[in-house]
Amino acid sequence: MSFAGHALDMMKRTQENRARLKESCKSSKDALRKHGKQNPLANQPQVTAEEYEEVNRQLKKRDIREHRFYLWILIIFGLVALGLLFLLVTFTQ
């Protein structure tokens, strides 16, 4: 295929892509019209200040428990590592 054939092929593909893009935009606009321009947060339940504070308090409690859990795991892992190091040192001498 000569250069002109490649150029014509590229021009044809560009035109097809433009047509597809226009169709895509049109279908998107139709879908938006069909479903309406609704606010997705409009149907969310309203939370009172007391409920919000309660949720925050529970989240803080959970964070503290998680930190304690990870601290204990770190302590246990450290003690096991020290024990293995002690056994390694005592048996290699």
Side-chain angles (χ1 to χ4, degrees), residues 41-49 51-52:
L41 299 177
N43 296 332
Q44 297 292 329
Q46 298 298 322
V47 178
T48 63
E51 291 173 339
Y52 183 75

Side-chain angles (χ1 to χ4, degrees), residues 6-79:
H6 287 288
L8 289 174
D9 188 39
M10 290 296 292
M11 289 171 36
K12 182 180 174 185
R13 276 193 261 155
T14 303
Q15 288 175 349
E16 289 173 357
N17 288 338
R18 284 185 190 151
R20 287 184 187 145
L21 183 62
K22 287 179 184 177
E23 290 174 11
S24 176
C25 288
K26 185 179 178 184
S27 66
S28 296
K29 288 179 183 177
D30 289 342
L32 185 60
R33 281 188 205 113
K34 179 181 177 183
H35 297 295
K37 297 179 182 178
Q38 298 175 354
N39 183 1
L41 299 177
N43 296 332
Q44 297 292 329
Q46 298 298 322
V47 178
T48 63
E50 294 82 19
E51 291 173 339
Y52 183 75
E53 290 173 2
E54 178 67 23
V55 168
N56 280 338
R57 189 178 59 76
Q58 289 175 358
L59 287 173
K60 286 179 184 178
K61 270 184 162 180
R62 186 177 72 186
D63 286 343
I64 290 170
R65 282 195 309 255
E66 286 178 0
H67 287 298
R68 286 181 185 164
F69 175 75
Y70 291 128
L71 179 65
W72 277 108
I73 287 178
L74 183 64
I75 291 171
I76 291 171
F77 181 74
L79 290 174

